Amino acid sequence: MRALTVIGNWKMNGSVRSNRDWMHLVIEDMQQGMPAGRRFGVCVPFPYLQDCSAHLAGSQLLLGAQDVSAYASGAYTGEVSASMLEEMGVRFVIVGHSERRMQYGEANESIALKAEQALDHELIPIICVGETADERNSGRAVEVVRRQVASQVSTLQDRLVDCLIAYEPIWAIGTGKVASAQMAQDMHQAIRLQLAEFDDDVASHIGIIYGGSVRADNATELFAMPDIDGALVGGASLDAKEFLAICRS
C-alpha cells in the first residue's frame, strides 16, 4: 500500500518569524489528529533548515530541502551536499524542479546524480518531471515525461522505489491553472506503466505525486485518483490553514 504524501514547497519565501508562526500553527493542528498512513513534509530554503529542524523535531511534519548537490563534497562553491542535509535532519529533497531545469539549465543526467546522492544519505528524493504548454498542445507531453523518467531509471535502477516522482505540468505551476484530475491521472498512469516496463515491483510501490496549483478545493478530487499518491504543494503551502486543509483532503 502506497502512503499518501503531501509536501509543501516554500520556494524562495519565508522569514525566521513567519516560519515559526507557520510551524506553530501547523504542528499544533496536526497534534489534534491527522489521517493514519499519511506522510506530511515541508521543503524550506537552505538558510532556515536548522531553525525549522529544531521546531519540527518530534512532530508529524517532516523536513525537506529544495535542492542538493550532485557531488558528495569538494570545491563546489555555493553547493549543499546530501550529507549536510542529513545532518540538519532533512528527510525529503526536491530534485529537478522545472524552475531549476528552465532557469539554471539542469539536465536529466545531473538530476539523476542528485537523486543518487540523496539516496546515499537516506534522504527521499522528490524527482520532478513535467511538460510545457507547447509540448502538451503539440501532443508530446507523454513523450517528454517518458524521456525525463527514463533518465532516472537508467541511473537509479531499482533504487527508484525509494524515491518519489512528482508530476508537475510546467504550464500549471504558479499559474492558477491546474490539470483536471483525469488529465493528471492519465499522466500518472503513463509513468507507472513506463516503470512497469522496467520492474513491476518498482511501478506498484513508488509514490507518484502531483504538483501544479494544488489547493484545498481541488485536492480531494486529485487524491481520489488511483495513481495519484499525494501532492507537492507550491504557493498554497505558504498559507498554513490552506496547507492543513490539503493535508486533511
Side-chain angles (χ1 to χ4, degrees):
M1 191 71 179
R2 299 186 300 268
L4 190 71
T5 304
V6 177
I7 308 289
N9 174 19
W10 286 354
K11 307 191 181 186
M12 197 174 70
N13 293 291
S15 68
V16 171
R17 181 172 179 175
S18 66
N19 297 349
R20 290 178 180 179
D21 290 343
W22 187 99
M23 287 183 289
H24 176 76
L25 196 157
V26 171
I27 292 169
E28 185 176 80
D29 193 281
M30 284 187 168
Q31 287 173 341
Q32 309 307 312
M34 276 286 170
R38 307 290 190 261
R39 294 186 298 185
F40 307 108
V42 59
C43 295
V44 309
F46 287 137
Y48 301 135
L49 285 174
Q50 189 162 17
D51 191 58
C52 289
S53 180
H55 281 82
L56 296 180
S59 76
Q60 254 187 285
L61 196 61
L62 301 172
L63 183 63
Q66 297 175 12
D67 193 20
V68 66
S69 178
Y71 305 99
S73 63
Y76 302 103
T77 301
E79 292 285 277
V80 176
S81 71
S83 63
M84 295 172 184
L85 298 181
E86 183 184 24
E87 284 189 325
M88 293 292 100
V90 168
R91 291 294 295 117
F92 296 97
V93 60
I94 300 170
V95 296
H97 194 282
S98 64
E99 291 162 0
R100 297 205 61 84
R101 288 178 186 263
M102 298 176 70
Q103 296 173 33
Y104 301 100
E106 289 194 3
N108 289 325
E109 294 73 20
S110 66
I111 292 162
L113 292 175
K114 289 184 174 191
E116 194 170 44
Q117 281 293 316
L119 290 167
D120 286 347
H121 291 274
E122 299 184 352
L123 309 179
I124 300 170
I126 304 168
I127 304 169
C128 298
V129 299
E131 81 284 359
T132 65
D134 286 345
E135 288 164 343
R136 172 160 286 275
N137 293 337
S138 63
R140 295 184 293 125
V142 172
E143 172 195 339
V144 168
V145 171
R146 279 184 63 94
R147 187 164 60 246
Q148 293 169 352
V149 172
S151 180
Q152 307 309 310
V153 173
S154 176
T155 299
L156 301 174
Q157 297 291 300
D158 58 359
R159 298 184 78 187
L160 199 59
V161 75
D162 295 318
C163 304
L164 287 168
I165 292 178
Y167 168 57
E168 293 199 307
I170 296 169
W171 47 270
I173 298 173
T175 63
K177 299 177 182 177
V178 63
S180 70
Q182 189 58 56
M183 285 171 63
Q185 162 60 21
D186 290 345
M187 185 62 82
H188 281 235
Q189 183 181 53
I191 293 169
R192 207 174 297 283
L193 289 172
Q194 178 184 1
L195 294 174
E197 296 169 9
F198 163 69
D199 186 305
D200 283 334
D201 190 59
V202 170
S204 62
H205 287 90
I206 189 171
I208 307 175
I209 63 178
Y210 174 78
S213 297
V214 178
R215 302 179 304 274
D217 62 6
N218 59 35
T220 300
E221 186 180 10
L222 287 164
F223 296 162
M225 293 293 160
D227 289 298
I228 297 179
D229 303 316
L232 181 59
V233 185
S237 71
L238 297 173
D239 182 324
K241 292 182 179 179
E242 181 79 2
F243 179 71
L244 284 164
I246 294 168
C247 291
R248 290 194 195 93
S249 297

